Amino acid sequence: MSLDELRPMSARAHSPMTAALSTARWIRSAAVDDEHGRHWRANPDRHGRPALPPRPRSLYSGAAGIVLFFLELAAATGNDAYLEDALSGARWLAATWRQDDDLTLHHGLTGTMIALMEAGWALGDDRLDAEAAAIAESIVERGRTRVDGLGWTFDPAQSGDGGIVLGLLRAAARFGEPAYEVAAVGAGLRIAGLPVPGSRHGGLDGLPSDAIIPGFLAGSAGIAFLMARLYGVSGDERFLRAARSGAGFVREVSVTADGRALVPHHVPSSGELYYAGFCSGAAGVARMFYELHRVTGDLDDLDWMERLAHGVVDSSAPPRRTPGYWNSACQCCGTAGLVELFVGLWSVTGRASCLEFARTLAADLVARADDHDGRGYRWYQAYRRVRPGEVSADTGYMVGAAGIGAALLHLDAAGQPDQARRVLLLPDNPFPVLPIPRITTQNG
């Protein structure tokens, strides 16, 4: 099956925008107001349990990601009521961030800083900017120097120091503060000196003791992405060599045939387990290859991104489910992350079939949404593949409804190229913030 042979599946008669609006209604039902502002329960179901332990400020499952969703929804609709939601959440983050010790991007203070920067810019609120800068200063101050260099967690992956470095680079660009970039480059040089593919990840969710993950969030592709980003910022060839080494490892362990590529969840001995999503599959690994293309212009990297996309189409087209594309709808490991991939691929190639497949994925998302009580769309999913009986509906960005709603808004923006609007992308997303195809082609 090729990209060009796919057309959107029939589903509920909802556009991406109306589905995002229904999603917002459900997230609003989870709001909790206090003296500091507003946050949202991770799972507002009666007696419901969230997919993850509580991280109320995080991008992954807390207020930071929900603030980003409401900022996007306000920009897309022109409805200032959504700006009020975002402002209330940003004020709560600004007042409470000092209670967190986690510094990472998806689960900690780096993600809170990203949300406050975006809110400060969109709302013109200097107080939010000041708190975002205070977080950046705190992160820099809390860096530790060892014999092998600077770091925080000393985990090189995106889930550790890699994500912190990406956040500091975003803060350096936003505030024009050289110290943030200096710290980011310094920590990056330590990572660049590590052997590829990096640390082992055995023991997690039953993985073998010698398992190495080539994927994005906790693995080699995410580290290579970071190295490519730092090469683009600094021009230091050490970063490019490290990026190429990581990319070479991913190519070596991938299964390729007929213009397609599948990346194993782990090596060695992963069997036929090929993830499709962002965290450990094609949707994340493709970002690494596009970042390399973006900073070097090498068309072979763009070709590898498309190989991964073809692998997704052939193995994970809805309504098909595989061990690597199971009952998961979220940005991290599910359908929303694939929507982001194909909207991004369309925005850099202009291939109409990529946008068509993104619409196919979105139609599947909308068809799977639940609104049994009339409070709005939410998605019940088994976040952990190895625990299919643990099903929950979450409000957060990477794990739940806010991120799904954001992916739908990005697709909506791509469908209106004559009304270009900026979309909010996390620092680990290399695709254009104005989703208009750079290359226009006649055929998909």
mmCIF file of all heavy atoms in Angstrom, residues 402-444:
data_model
loop_
_atom_site.group_PDB
_atom_site.id
_atom_site.type_symbol
_atom_site.label_atom_id
_atom_site.label_comp_id
_atom_site.label_asym_id
_atom_site.label_seq_id
_atom_site.Cartn_x
_atom_site.Cartn_y
_atom_site.Cartn_z
ATOM 1 N N ALA A 402 -5.300 16.851 25.630
ATOM 2 C CA ALA A 402 -4.753 18.135 25.194
ATOM 3 C C ALA A 402 -3.830 17.961 23.998
ATOM 4 O O ALA A 402 -3.868 18.753 23.041
ATOM 5 C CB ALA A 402 -4.011 18.820 26.340
ATOM 6 N N GLY A 403 -2.996 16.930 24.019
ATOM 7 C CA GLY A 403 -2.105 16.689 22.886
ATOM 8 C C GLY A 403 -2.840 16.201 21.664
ATOM 9 O O GLY A 403 -2.479 16.538 20.522
ATOM 10 N N ILE A 404 -3.892 15.402 21.873
ATOM 11 C CA ILE A 404 -4.703 14.963 20.743
ATOM 12 C C ILE A 404 -5.399 16.166 20.118
ATOM 13 O O ILE A 404 -5.421 16.332 18.888
ATOM 14 C CB ILE A 404 -5.717 13.899 21.194
ATOM 15 C CG1 ILE A 404 -4.980 12.644 21.678
ATOM 16 C CG2 ILE A 404 -6.680 13.555 20.060
ATOM 17 C CD1 ILE A 404 -5.870 11.624 22.365
ATOM 18 N N GLY A 405 -5.957 17.027 20.960
ATOM 19 C CA GLY A 405 -6.586 18.240 20.445
ATOM 20 C C GLY A 405 -5.607 19.119 19.691
ATOM 21 O O GLY A 405 -5.946 19.699 18.654
ATOM 22 N N ALA A 406 -4.370 19.229 20.198
ATOM 23 C CA ALA A 406 -3.359 20.034 19.511
ATOM 24 C C ALA A 406 -3.033 19.452 18.138
ATOM 25 O O ALA A 406 -2.885 20.195 17.155
ATOM 26 C CB ALA A 406 -2.098 20.126 20.362
ATOM 27 N N ALA A 407 -2.903 18.124 18.046
ATOM 28 C CA ALA A 407 -2.635 17.499 16.748
ATOM 29 C C ALA A 407 -3.765 17.788 15.767
ATOM 30 O O ALA A 407 -3.520 18.055 14.581
ATOM 31 C CB ALA A 407 -2.441 15.999 16.920
ATOM 32 N N LEU A 408 -4.999 17.753 16.234
ATOM 33 C CA LEU A 408 -6.140 18.066 15.370
ATOM 34 C C LEU A 408 -6.092 19.519 14.913
ATOM 35 O O LEU A 408 -6.419 19.840 13.759
ATOM 36 C CB LEU A 408 -7.439 17.767 16.099
ATOM 37 C CG LEU A 408 -7.712 16.285 16.400
ATOM 38 C CD1 LEU A 408 -8.912 16.130 17.325
ATOM 39 C CD2 LEU A 408 -7.920 15.486 15.123
ATOM 40 N N LEU A 409 -5.670 20.418 15.799
ATOM 41 C CA LEU A 409 -5.538 21.826 15.406
ATOM 42 C C LEU A 409 -4.438 22.017 14.372
ATOM 43 O O LEU A 409 -4.559 22.848 13.464
ATOM 44 C CB LEU A 409 -5.252 22.689 16.639
ATOM 45 C CG LEU A 409 -6.406 22.866 17.623
ATOM 46 C CD1 LEU A 409 -5.938 23.663 18.835
ATOM 47 C CD2 LEU A 409 -7.596 23.558 16.968
ATOM 48 N N HIS A 410 -3.351 21.262 14.485
ATOM 49 C CA HIS A 410 -2.276 21.362 13.501
ATOM 50 C C HIS A 410 -2.750 20.886 12.131
ATOM 51 O O HIS A 410 -2.398 21.468 11.099
ATOM 52 C CB HIS A 410 -1.057 20.560 13.963
ATOM 53 C CG HIS A 410 -0.496 21.048 15.261
ATOM 54 N ND1 HIS A 410 0.378 20.312 16.027
ATOM 55 C CD2 HIS A 410 -0.690 22.211 15.941
ATOM 56 C CE1 HIS A 410 0.692 20.995 17.101
ATOM 57 N NE2 HIS A 410 0.056 22.152 17.079
ATOM 58 N N LEU A 411 -3.564 19.829 12.129
ATOM 59 C CA LEU A 411 -4.142 19.362 10.866
ATOM 60 C C LEU A 411 -5.111 20.399 10.309
ATOM 61 O O LEU A 411 -5.130 20.651 9.094
ATOM 62 C CB LEU A 411 -4.853 18.031 11.084
ATOM 63 C CG LEU A 411 -5.577 17.431 9.875
ATOM 64 C CD1 LEU A 411 -4.621 17.196 8.717
ATOM 65 C CD2 LEU A 411 -6.272 16.134 10.262
ATOM 66 N N ASP A 412 -5.888 21.015 11.159
ATOM 67 C CA ASP A 412 -6.803 22.064 10.721
ATOM 68 C C ASP A 412 -6.034 23.218 10.083
ATOM 69 O O ASP A 412 -6.434 23.745 9.036
ATOM 70 C CB ASP A 412 -7.618 22.560 11.913
ATOM 71 C CG ASP A 412 -8.543 23.706 11.545
ATOM 72 O OD1 ASP A 412 -9.589 23.461 10.914
ATOM 73 O OD2 ASP A 412 -8.215 24.868 11.887
ATOM 74 N N ALA A 413 -4.928 23.608 10.692
ATOM 75 C CA ALA A 413 -4.114 24.692 10.133
ATOM 76 C C ALA A 413 -3.540 24.300 8.774
ATOM 77 O O ALA A 413 -3.489 25.124 7.847
ATOM 78 C CB ALA A 413 -2.993 25.060 11.099
ATOM 79 N N ALA A 414 -3.098 23.045 8.648
ATOM 80 C CA ALA A 414 -2.541 22.589 7.370
ATOM 81 C C ALA A 414 -3.596 22.595 6.273
ATOM 82 O O ALA A 414 -3.276 22.794 5.094
ATOM 83 C CB ALA A 414 -1.954 21.183 7.531
ATOM 84 N N GLY A 415 -4.849 22.390 6.644
ATOM 85 C CA GLY A 415 -5.918 22.367 5.659
ATOM 86 C C GLY A 415 -6.369 23.737 5.203
ATOM 87 O O GLY A 415 -7.254 23.840 4.340
ATOM 88 N N GLN A 416 -5.771 24.794 5.767
ATOM 89 C CA GLN A 416 -6.137 26.164 5.398
ATOM 90 C C GLN A 416 -4.885 26.982 5.088
ATOM 91 O O GLN A 416 -4.578 27.961 5.774
ATOM 92 C CB GLN A 416 -6.921 26.828 6.536
ATOM 93 C CG GLN A 416 -8.174 26.060 6.940
ATOM 94 C CD GLN A 416 -8.923 26.751 8.062
ATOM 95 O OE1 GLN A 416 -9.507 27.826 7.887
ATOM 96 N NE2 GLN A 416 -8.896 26.141 9.232
ATOM 97 N N PRO A 417 -4.147 26.593 4.049
ATOM 98 C CA PRO A 417 -2.876 27.279 3.768
ATOM 99 C C PRO A 417 -3.046 28.735 3.377
ATOM 100 O O PRO A 417 -2.077 29.505 3.431
ATOM 101 C CB PRO A 417 -2.292 26.453 2.606
ATOM 102 C CG PRO A 417 -3.471 25.793 1.977
ATOM 103 C CD PRO A 417 -4.420 25.514 3.103
ATOM 104 N N ASP A 418 -4.265 29.143 2.978
ATOM 105 C CA ASP A 418 -4.486 30.539 2.647
ATOM 106 C C ASP A 418 -4.751 31.383 3.887
ATOM 107 O O ASP A 418 -4.893 32.612 3.793
ATOM 108 C CB ASP A 418 -5.674 30.674 1.681
ATOM 109 C CG ASP A 418 -6.950 30.062 2.242
ATOM 110 O OD1 ASP A 418 -6.843 29.145 3.088
ATOM 111 O OD2 ASP A 418 -8.042 30.502 1.844
ATOM 112 N N GLN A 419 -4.827 30.740 5.054
ATOM 113 C CA GLN A 419 -5.025 31.444 6.315
ATOM 114 C C GLN A 419 -3.956 30.985 7.297
ATOM 115 O O GLN A 419 -4.251 30.409 8.344
ATOM 116 C CB GLN A 419 -6.426 31.179 6.865
ATOM 117 C CG GLN A 419 -7.549 31.608 5.937
ATOM 118 C CD GLN A 419 -8.912 31.267 6.493
ATOM 119 O OE1 GLN A 419 -9.107 31.196 7.714
ATOM 120 N NE2 GLN A 419 -9.877 31.049 5.614
ATOM 121 N N ALA A 420 -2.724 31.206 6.926
ATOM 122 C CA ALA A 420 -1.599 30.668 7.695
ATOM 123 C C ALA A 420 -1.627 31.166 9.131
ATOM 124 O O ALA A 420 -1.849 32.347 9.401
ATOM 125 C CB ALA A 420 -0.283 31.076 7.034
ATOM 126 N N ARG A 421 -1.428 30.242 10.070
ATOM 127 C CA ARG A 421 -1.305 30.623 11.477
ATOM 128 C C ARG A 421 -0.200 29.789 12.111
ATOM 129 O O ARG A 421 0.067 28.651 11.716
ATOM 130 C CB ARG A 421 -2.618 30.412 12.225
ATOM 131 C CG ARG A 421 -3.077 28.974 12.368
ATOM 132 C CD ARG A 421 -4.346 28.903 13.230
ATOM 133 N NE ARG A 421 -4.725 27.549 13.567
ATOM 134 C CZ ARG A 421 -5.668 26.855 12.934
ATOM 135 N NH1 ARG A 421 -6.319 27.404 11.914
ATOM 136 N NH2 ARG A 421 -5.971 25.629 13.319
ATOM 137 N N ARG A 422 0.434 30.370 13.082
ATOM 138 C CA ARG A 422 1.521 29.707 13.782
ATOM 139 C C ARG A 422 0.964 28.613 14.684
ATOM 140 O O ARG A 422 -0.025 28.807 15.378
ATOM 141 C CB ARG A 422 2.284 30.729 14.619
ATOM 142 C CG ARG A 422 3.424 30.178 15.445
ATOM 143 C CD ARG A 422 4.167 31.318 16.119
ATOM 144 N NE ARG A 422 5.225 30.845 16.994
ATOM 145 C CZ ARG A 422 5.098 30.717 18.317
ATOM 146 N NH1 ARG A 422 3.953 31.017 18.901
ATOM 147 N NH2 ARG A 422 6.103 30.293 19.054
ATOM 148 N N VAL A 423 1.612 27.452 14.639
ATOM 149 C CA VAL A 423 1.253 26.380 15.562
ATOM 150 C C VAL A 423 2.350 26.279 16.625
ATOM 151 O O VAL A 423 3.504 26.637 16.396
ATOM 152 C CB VAL A 423 1.067 25.037 14.833
ATOM 153 C CG1 VAL A 423 -0.054 25.139 13.814
ATOM 154 C CG2 VAL A 423 2.354 24.586 14.155
ATOM 155 N N LEU A 424 1.970 25.810 17.804
ATOM 156 C CA LEU A 424 2.913 25.699 18.914
ATOM 157 C C LEU A 424 3.512 24.302 18.919
ATOM 158 O O LEU A 424 2.799 23.313 19.109
ATOM 159 C CB LEU A 424 2.203 25.964 20.253
ATOM 160 C CG LEU A 424 1.537 27.333 20.407
ATOM 161 C CD1 LEU A 424 0.976 27.489 21.819
ATOM 162 C CD2 LEU A 424 2.504 28.456 20.093
ATOM 163 N N LEU A 425 4.808 24.226 18.676
ATOM 164 C CA LEU A 425 5.509 22.953 18.624
ATOM 165 C C LEU A 425 6.536 22.903 19.746
ATOM 166 O O LEU A 425 7.218 23.906 20.028
ATOM 167 C CB LEU A 425 6.199 22.764 17.275
ATOM 168 C CG LEU A 425 5.291 22.811 16.042
ATOM 169 C CD1 LEU A 425 6.109 22.629 14.772
ATOM 170 C CD2 LEU A 425 4.182 21.769 16.124
ATOM 171 N N LEU A 426 6.685 21.755 20.368
ATOM 172 C CA LEU A 426 7.674 21.583 21.420
ATOM 173 C C LEU A 426 9.081 21.630 20.819
ATOM 174 O O LEU A 426 9.267 21.445 19.617
ATOM 175 C CB LEU A 426 7.441 20.254 22.138
ATOM 176 C CG LEU A 426 6.071 20.073 22.800
ATOM 177 C CD1 LEU A 426 6.038 18.764 23.583
ATOM 178 C CD2 LEU A 426 5.717 21.244 23.691
ATOM 179 N N PRO A 427 10.100 21.855 21.649
ATOM 180 C CA PRO A 427 11.473 21.966 21.119
ATOM 181 C C PRO A 427 11.988 20.718 20.423
ATOM 182 O O PRO A 427 12.970 20.800 19.679
ATOM 183 C CB PRO A 427 12.312 22.270 22.376
ATOM 184 C CG PRO A 427 11.358 22.835 23.354
ATOM 185 C CD PRO A 427 10.047 22.165 23.094
ATOM 186 N N ASP A 428 11.334 19.575 20.648
ATOM 187 C CA ASP A 428 11.775 18.344 19.984
ATOM 188 C C ASP A 428 11.069 18.107 18.663
ATOM 189 O O ASP A 428 11.229 17.044 18.059
ATOM 190 C CB ASP A 428 11.605 17.133 20.906
ATOM 191 C CG ASP A 428 10.173 16.959 21.397
ATOM 192 O OD1 ASP A 428 9.251 17.568 20.814
ATOM 193 O OD2 ASP A 428 9.971 16.210 22.376
ATOM 194 N N ASN A 429 10.277 19.078 18.209
ATOM 195 C CA ASN A 429 9.580 18.963 16.923
ATOM 196 C C ASN A 429 10.248 19.888 15.915
ATOM 197 O O ASN A 429 10.191 21.112 16.059
ATOM 198 C CB ASN A 429 8.109 19.325 17.093
ATOM 199 C CG ASN A 429 7.281 18.978 15.870
ATOM 200 O OD1 ASN A 429 7.740 19.086 14.743
ATOM 201 N ND2 ASN A 429 6.047 18.557 16.088
ATOM 202 N N PRO A 430 10.888 19.339 14.869
ATOM 203 C CA PRO A 430 11.670 20.168 13.947
ATOM 204 C C PRO A 430 10.881 20.741 12.783
ATOM 205 O O PRO A 430 11.435 21.477 11.965
ATOM 206 C CB PRO A 430 12.707 19.179 13.415
ATOM 207 C CG PRO A 430 11.941 17.884 13.349
ATOM 208 C CD PRO A 430 11.010 17.907 14.556
ATOM 209 N N PHE A 431 9.586 20.413 12.680
ATOM 210 C CA PHE A 431 8.826 20.798 11.501
ATOM 211 C C PHE A 431 8.441 22.271 11.552
ATOM 212 O O PHE A 431 8.500 22.916 12.602
ATOM 213 C CB PHE A 431 7.600 19.901 11.349
ATOM 214 C CG PHE A 431 7.949 18.460 11.140
ATOM 215 C CD1 PHE A 431 7.502 17.474 12.012
ATOM 216 C CD2 PHE A 431 8.760 18.076 10.075
ATOM 217 C CE1 PHE A 431 7.836 16.148 11.820
ATOM 218 C CE2 PHE A 431 9.105 16.750 9.882
ATOM 219 C CZ PHE A 431 8.640 15.781 10.760
ATOM 220 N N PRO A 432 8.056 22.867 10.421
ATOM 221 C CA PRO A 432 7.772 24.307 10.382
ATOM 222 C C PRO A 432 6.611 24.702 11.289
ATOM 223 O O PRO A 432 5.613 23.989 11.391
ATOM 224 C CB PRO A 432 7.423 24.555 8.905
ATOM 225 C CG PRO A 432 8.089 23.442 8.165
ATOM 226 C CD PRO A 432 8.023 22.253 9.078
ATOM 227 N N VAL A 433 6.744 25.857 11.945
ATOM 228 C CA VAL A 433 5.675 26.350 12.818
ATOM 229 C C VAL A 433 4.565 27.015 12.016
ATOM 230 O O VAL A 433 3.500 27.311 12.556
ATOM 231 C CB VAL A 433 6.224 27.340 13.868
ATOM 232 C CG1 VAL A 433 7.194 26.640 14.799
ATOM 233 C CG2 VAL A 433 6.890 28.546 13.207
ATOM 234 N N LEU A 434 4.798 27.251 10.748
ATOM 235 C CA LEU A 434 3.743 27.669 9.826
ATOM 236 C C LEU A 434 3.539 26.525 8.851
ATOM 237 O O LEU A 434 4.337 26.340 7.927
ATOM 238 C CB LEU A 434 4.115 28.957 9.085
ATOM 239 C CG LEU A 434 4.213 30.213 9.926
ATOM 240 C CD1 LEU A 434 4.722 31.380 9.081
ATOM 241 C CD2 LEU A 434 2.858 30.575 10.535
ATOM 242 N N PRO A 435 2.509 25.701 9.053
ATOM 243 C CA PRO A 435 2.375 24.483 8.241
ATOM 244 C C PRO A 435 1.883 24.751 6.832
ATOM 245 O O PRO A 435 0.754 24.467 6.462
ATOM 246 C CB PRO A 435 1.363 23.655 9.046
ATOM 247 C CG PRO A 435 0.539 24.672 9.746
ATOM 248 C CD PRO A 435 1.461 25.815 10.058
ATOM 249 N N ILE A 436 2.766 25.328 6.023
ATOM 250 C CA ILE A 436 2.494 25.550 4.606
ATOM 251 C C ILE A 436 3.587 24.813 3.842
ATOM 252 O O ILE A 436 4.764 24.973 4.141
ATOM 253 C CB ILE A 436 2.526 27.052 4.249
ATOM 254 C CG1 ILE A 436 1.471 27.801 5.054
ATOM 255 C CG2 ILE A 436 2.307 27.254 2.762
ATOM 256 C CD1 ILE A 436 1.523 29.300 4.868
ATOM 257 N N PRO A 437 3.234 23.982 2.871
ATOM 258 C CA PRO A 437 4.271 23.175 2.224
ATOM 259 C C PRO A 437 5.304 24.041 1.518
ATOM 260 O O PRO A 437 4.963 24.961 0.776
ATOM 261 C CB PRO A 437 3.488 22.303 1.240
ATOM 262 C CG PRO A 437 2.218 23.049 1.000
ATOM 263 C CD PRO A 437 1.901 23.757 2.287
ATOM 264 N N ARG A 438 6.565 23.743 1.747
ATOM 265 C CA ARG A 438 7.639 24.483 1.079
ATOM 266 C C ARG A 438 7.761 24.082 -0.400
ATOM 267 O O ARG A 438 8.210 24.847 -1.210
ATOM 268 C CB ARG A 438 8.958 24.204 1.785
ATOM 269 C CG ARG A 438 8.998 24.716 3.223
ATOM 270 C CD ARG A 438 10.328 24.387 3.851
ATOM 271 N NE ARG A 438 10.388 24.887 5.221
ATOM 272 C CZ ARG A 438 11.441 24.704 6.016
ATOM 273 N NH1 ARG A 438 12.498 24.055 5.581
ATOM 274 N NH2 ARG A 438 11.437 25.180 7.232
ATOM 275 N N ILE A 439 7.394 22.846 -0.700
ATOM 276 C CA ILE A 439 7.481 22.337 -2.062
ATOM 277 C C ILE A 439 6.075 21.969 -2.490
ATOM 278 O O ILE A 439 5.418 21.173 -1.824
ATOM 279 C CB ILE A 439 8.392 21.113 -2.138
ATOM 280 C CG1 ILE A 439 9.787 21.432 -1.565
ATOM 281 C CG2 ILE A 439 8.495 20.594 -3.557
ATOM 282 C CD1 ILE A 439 10.658 20.216 -1.359
ATOM 283 N N THR A 440 5.603 22.534 -3.542
ATOM 284 C CA THR A 440 4.266 22.214 -4.026
ATOM 285 C C THR A 440 4.380 21.277 -5.217
ATOM 286 O O THR A 440 5.100 21.570 -6.174
ATOM 287 C CB THR A 440 3.504 23.478 -4.444
ATOM 288 O OG1 THR A 440 3.438 24.342 -3.316
ATOM 289 C CG2 THR A 440 2.114 23.154 -4.906
ATOM 290 N N THR A 441 3.693 20.113 -5.132
ATOM 291 C CA THR A 441 3.756 19.135 -6.211
ATOM 292 C C THR A 441 2.368 18.946 -6.779
ATOM 293 O O THR A 441 1.365 19.112 -6.113
ATOM 294 C CB THR A 441 4.296 17.792 -5.692
ATOM 295 O OG1 THR A 441 3.445 17.339 -4.643
ATOM 296 C CG2 THR A 441 5.713 17.930 -5.194
ATOM 297 N N GLN A 442 2.303 18.579 -8.039
ATOM 298 C CA GLN A 442 1.011 18.370 -8.698
ATOM 299 C C GLN A 442 0.363 17.077 -8.255
ATOM 300 O O GLN A 442 -0.822 16.981 -8.073
ATOM 301 C CB GLN A 442 1.229 18.316 -10.207
ATOM 302 C CG GLN A 442 1.864 19.590 -10.715
ATOM 303 C CD GLN A 442 0.946 20.318 -11.645
ATOM 304 O OE1 GLN A 442 0.065 19.724 -12.215
ATOM 305 N NE2 GLN A 442 1.124 21.590 -11.789
ATOM 306 N N ASN A 443 1.181 16.026 -8.066
ATOM 307 C CA ASN A 443 0.650 14.733 -7.684
ATOM 308 C C ASN A 443 1.087 14.438 -6.251
ATOM 309 O O ASN A 443 2.100 14.931 -5.785
ATOM 310 C CB ASN A 443 1.163 13.629 -8.617
ATOM 311 C CG ASN A 443 0.753 13.894 -10.062
ATOM 312 O OD1 ASN A 443 -0.397 14.227 -10.318
ATOM 313 N ND2 ASN A 443 1.703 13.744 -10.982
ATOM 314 N N GLY A 444 0.277 13.566 -5.569
ATOM 315 C CA GLY A 444 0.584 13.282 -4.168
ATOM 316 C C GLY A 444 1.931 12.665 -3.990
ATOM 317 O O GLY A 444 2.403 12.542 -2.919
#
